[in-house]
Amino acid sequence: MNLEKLFWSRTKTDILKYLVFRRQWISVRAFETELTRSFPAIKKQIDQLDEAWVIRVVKDNNRRSIYMIDGIDEYIKNIFLYTLKFDISAYFESLSPDVDKYFLWKLFGNDFDMDLVIVHDAKAKSKIPEMKEQITLIFRKYLIEIVNVVFMSSDEFQKRNRLADKFVLALMTSAKPQPEVD
């Protein structure tokens, strides 16, 4: 999904990502620093989001704080999580023989300490550093800096499943793996 087309602007998309995944009650000048965009470009998008009743700008003395309207933030977060899942899925499809399955967790609303659990083919162990780098880049595209990822070989996953390992049992009972990668 192309979020820039949906929201009509890369700057607007980044503003919304920032408000959803980082923090709210931020000033326009702070956005300028954080997003490395010009003040007029950010101001224009802020004004449009304010007119659309997506955000509110609170004016205190000489400072303006921006926050999302209550209720709409969850809908926008779900749009971003949907596209993040799509991007992750597309990446793992490109690795189809190397990744058997993966589980999406904490960030995606499941009660577990990990954000992503990847079950990979044992032969793909040498590709793990590259996978880590690509996964980090995918999450950074959504302004998410810290991601908890677990890599586990298929053999280890099966062994731990047979031994009724607490971690694997939690995976098996609490979440559905994402569709097997073809």
Side-chain angles (χ1 to χ4, degrees):
M1 175 182 262
N2 188 338
L3 291 171
E4 286 79 26
K5 295 288 184 185
L6 176 65
F7 294 116
W8 293 61
S9 162
R10 192 174 84 180
T11 302
K12 189 182 297 178
T13 303
D14 286 347
I15 289 168
L16 291 171
K17 285 177 188 176
Y18 193 93
L19 291 170
V20 167
F21 293 117
R22 290 223 178 137
R23 68 183 175 107
Q24 296 195 35
W25 295 96
I26 183 172
S27 69
V28 177
R29 290 287 179 196
F31 268 129
E32 183 180 19
T33 303
E34 293 282 334
L35 300 178
T36 61
R37 303 271 190 332
S38 70
F39 182 84
I42 292 171
K43 178 76 170 93
K44 177 182 176 187
Q45 299 307 320
I46 295 285
D47 290 343
Q48 288 179 358
L49 287 167
D50 190 23
E51 289 172 16
W53 295 0
V54 173
I55 65 167
R56 279 288 158 246
V57 179
V58 176
K59 300 169 186 164
D60 297 332
N61 299 333
N62 294 333
R63 183 182 164 107
R64 295 175 184 219
S65 298
I66 299 155
Y67 68 96
M68 293 187 79
I69 303 263
D70 288 337
I72 198 164
D73 54 345
E74 281 303 312
Y75 293 107
I76 291 175
K77 182 177 183 176
N78 287 335
I79 290 170
F80 288 136
L81 289 178
Y82 174 80
T83 58
L84 178 57
K85 285 179 189 179
F86 180 83
D87 290 348
I88 290 169
S89 177
Y91 174 65
F92 287 140
E93 283 179 24
S94 73
L95 301 173
S96 70
D98 297 330
V99 175
D100 293 333
K101 59 184 130 195
Y102 60 95
F103 300 85
L104 302 171
W105 281 92
K106 188 177 185 178
L107 181 65
F108 300 92
N110 296 309
D111 188 27
F112 205 67
D113 288 339
M114 298 298 138
D115 293 314
L116 182 60
V117 178
I118 301 165
V119 180
H120 61 85
D121 186 72
K123 298 172 193 167
K125 190 171 184 163
S126 63
K127 296 181 181 179
I128 289 177
E130 179 186 330
M131 282 189 232
K132 284 181 184 177
E133 186 176 328
Q134 288 301 314
I135 290 167
T136 301
L137 290 174
I138 290 170
F139 278 89
R140 279 196 185 140
K141 192 169 92 173
Y142 291 85
L143 303 177
I144 301 169
E145 294 293 325
I146 298 173
V147 181
N148 296 315
V149 181
V150 172
F151 287 90
M152 186 182 303
S153 71
S154 298
D155 298 336
E156 180 184 358
F157 182 81
Q158 294 303 327
K159 178 182 170 188
R160 289 174 76 170
N161 190 23
R162 282 191 310 272
L163 295 173
D165 179 73
K166 188 177 180 180
F167 180 80
V168 173
L169 285 178
L171 281 175
M172 300 300 286
T173 58
S174 300
K176 297 176 185 172
Q178 297 306 306
E180 299 249 347
V181 182
D182 295 330

